[in-house]
mmCIF file with all atom_site columns, all heavy atoms in Angstrom:
data_model
loop_
_atom_site.group_PDB
_atom_site.id
_atom_site.type_symbol
_atom_site.label_atom_id
_atom_site.label_alt_id
_atom_site.label_comp_id
_atom_site.label_asym_id
_atom_site.label_entity_id
_atom_site.label_seq_id
_atom_site.pdbx_PDB_ins_code
_atom_site.Cartn_x
_atom_site.Cartn_y
_atom_site.Cartn_z
_atom_site.occupancy
_atom_site.B_iso_or_equiv
_atom_site.pdbx_formal_charge
_atom_site.auth_seq_id
_atom_site.auth_comp_id
_atom_site.auth_asym_id
_atom_site.auth_atom_id
_atom_site.pdbx_PDB_model_num
ATOM   1  N  N   . GLU A 1 31  ? -6.305  -30.879 -10.137 1.00 94.00 ? 31  GLU A N   1
ATOM   2  C  CA  . GLU A 1 31  ? -7.089  -32.141 -9.931  1.00 94.00 ? 31  GLU A CA  1
ATOM   3  C  C   . GLU A 1 31  ? -6.669  -33.273 -10.713 1.00 94.00 ? 31  GLU A C   1
ATOM   4  O  O   . GLU A 1 31  ? -6.518  -34.284 -10.055 1.00 94.00 ? 31  GLU A O   1
ATOM   5  C  CB  . GLU A 1 31  ? -8.657  -31.880 -10.296 1.00 94.00 ? 31  GLU A CB  1
ATOM   6  C  CG  . GLU A 1 31  ? -9.333  -30.857 -9.489  1.00 94.00 ? 31  GLU A CG  1
ATOM   7  C  CD  . GLU A 1 31  ? -9.324  -31.183 -8.008  1.00 94.00 ? 31  GLU A CD  1
ATOM   8  O  OE1 . GLU A 1 31  ? -9.409  -32.308 -7.590  1.00 94.00 ? 31  GLU A OE1 1
ATOM   9  O  OE2 . GLU A 1 31  ? -9.454  -30.326 -7.213  1.00 94.00 ? 31  GLU A OE2 1
ATOM   10 N  N   . ASN A 1 35  ? -4.956  -36.753 -8.946  1.00 95.00 ? 35  ASN A N   1
ATOM   11 C  CA  . ASN A 1 35  ? -5.467  -38.041 -9.232  1.00 95.00 ? 35  ASN A CA  1
ATOM   12 C  C   . ASN A 1 35  ? -4.411  -38.894 -9.572  1.00 95.00 ? 35  ASN A C   1
ATOM   13 O  O   . ASN A 1 35  ? -4.389  -40.234 -9.136  1.00 95.00 ? 35  ASN A O   1
ATOM   14 C  CB  . ASN A 1 35  ? -6.595  -38.068 -10.256 1.00 95.00 ? 35  ASN A CB  1
ATOM   15 C  CG  . ASN A 1 35  ? -7.858  -37.617 -9.676  1.00 95.00 ? 35  ASN A CG  1
ATOM   16 O  OD1 . ASN A 1 35  ? -8.106  -37.520 -8.506  1.00 95.00 ? 35  ASN A OD1 1
ATOM   17 N  ND2 . ASN A 1 35  ? -8.821  -37.189 -10.544 1.00 95.00 ? 35  ASN A ND2 1
ATOM   18 N  N   . ASP A 1 38  ? -2.437  -39.905 -6.480  1.00 94.00 ? 38  ASP A N   1
ATOM   19 C  CA  . ASP A 1 38  ? -3.205  -40.774 -5.666  1.00 94.00 ? 38  ASP A CA  1
ATOM   20 C  C   . ASP A 1 38  ? -3.120  -42.163 -6.354  1.00 94.00 ? 38  ASP A C   1
ATOM   21 O  O   . ASP A 1 38  ? -3.253  -43.233 -5.466  1.00 94.00 ? 38  ASP A O   1
ATOM   22 C  CB  . ASP A 1 38  ? -4.659  -40.313 -5.492  1.00 94.00 ? 38  ASP A CB  1
ATOM   23 C  CG  . ASP A 1 38  ? -4.814  -39.094 -4.421  1.00 94.00 ? 38  ASP A CG  1
ATOM   24 O  OD1 . ASP A 1 38  ? -3.854  -38.892 -3.703  1.00 94.00 ? 38  ASP A OD1 1
ATOM   25 O  OD2 . ASP A 1 38  ? -5.944  -38.523 -4.551  1.00 94.00 ? 38  ASP A OD2 1
ATOM   26 N  N   . LYS A 1 81  ? -11.424 -43.209 -2.484  1.00 67.00 ? 81  LYS A N   1
ATOM   27 C  CA  . LYS A 1 81  ? -10.525 -42.752 -1.452  1.00 67.00 ? 81  LYS A CA  1
ATOM   28 C  C   . LYS A 1 81  ? -11.011 -42.769 -0.052  1.00 67.00 ? 81  LYS A C   1
ATOM   29 O  O   . LYS A 1 81  ? -10.254 -42.924 0.972   1.00 67.00 ? 81  LYS A O   1
ATOM   30 C  CB  . LYS A 1 81  ? -9.888  -41.521 -1.819  1.00 67.00 ? 81  LYS A CB  1
ATOM   31 C  CG  . LYS A 1 81  ? -9.110  -41.685 -3.094  1.00 67.00 ? 81  LYS A CG  1
ATOM   32 C  CD  . LYS A 1 81  ? -8.591  -40.401 -3.853  1.00 67.00 ? 81  LYS A CD  1
ATOM   33 C  CE  . LYS A 1 81  ? -8.367  -40.728 -5.263  1.00 67.00 ? 81  LYS A CE  1
ATOM   34 N  NZ  . LYS A 1 81  ? -8.058  -39.489 -6.078  1.00 67.00 ? 81  LYS A NZ  1
ATOM   35 N  N   . GLY A 1 95  ? -7.142  -36.541 -3.079  1.00 71.00 ? 95  GLY A N   1
ATOM   36 C  CA  . GLY A 1 95  ? -8.611  -36.360 -3.275  1.00 71.00 ? 95  GLY A CA  1
ATOM   37 C  C   . GLY A 1 95  ? -9.501  -37.056 -2.221  1.00 71.00 ? 95  GLY A C   1
ATOM   38 O  O   . GLY A 1 95  ? -8.820  -37.914 -1.524  1.00 71.00 ? 95  GLY A O   1
ATOM   39 N  N   . PHE A 1 96  ? -10.633 -36.849 -2.207  1.00 69.00 ? 96  PHE A N   1
ATOM   40 C  CA  . PHE A 1 96  ? -11.524 -37.432 -1.365  1.00 69.00 ? 96  PHE A CA  1
ATOM   41 C  C   . PHE A 1 96  ? -12.962 -37.080 -1.497  1.00 69.00 ? 96  PHE A C   1
ATOM   42 O  O   . PHE A 1 96  ? -13.930 -37.627 -1.135  1.00 69.00 ? 96  PHE A O   1
ATOM   43 C  CB  . PHE A 1 96  ? -11.066 -37.259 0.145   1.00 69.00 ? 96  PHE A CB  1
ATOM   44 C  CG  . PHE A 1 96  ? -11.046 -36.007 0.669   1.00 69.00 ? 96  PHE A CG  1
ATOM   45 C  CD1 . PHE A 1 96  ? -12.325 -35.327 1.020   1.00 69.00 ? 96  PHE A CD1 1
ATOM   46 C  CD2 . PHE A 1 96  ? -9.945  -35.161 0.647   1.00 69.00 ? 96  PHE A CD2 1
ATOM   47 C  CE1 . PHE A 1 96  ? -12.260 -33.960 1.599   1.00 69.00 ? 96  PHE A CE1 1
ATOM   48 C  CE2 . PHE A 1 96  ? -9.909  -33.862 1.129   1.00 69.00 ? 96  PHE A CE2 1
ATOM   49 C  CZ  . PHE A 1 96  ? -11.107 -33.232 1.553   1.00 69.00 ? 96  PHE A CZ  1
ATOM   50 N  N   . ALA A 1 100 ? -14.239 -34.028 -8.511  1.00 90.00 ? 100 ALA A N   1
ATOM   51 C  CA  . ALA A 1 100 ? -13.381 -33.397 -9.582  1.00 90.00 ? 100 ALA A CA  1
ATOM   52 C  C   . ALA A 1 100 ? -13.781 -33.896 -10.934 1.00 90.00 ? 100 ALA A C   1
ATOM   53 O  O   . ALA A 1 100 ? -14.072 -33.007 -11.791 1.00 90.00 ? 100 ALA A O   1
ATOM   54 C  CB  . ALA A 1 100 ? -11.820 -33.598 -9.411  1.00 90.00 ? 100 ALA A CB  1
HETATM 55 MG MG1 . MG  B 2 .   ? -9.327  -36.243 -7.428  1.00 84.34 ? 702 MG  B MG1 1
#
Side-chain angles (χ1 to χ4, degrees):
E31 295 297 337
N35 279 348
D38 283 345
K81 298 170 194 174
F96 57 87

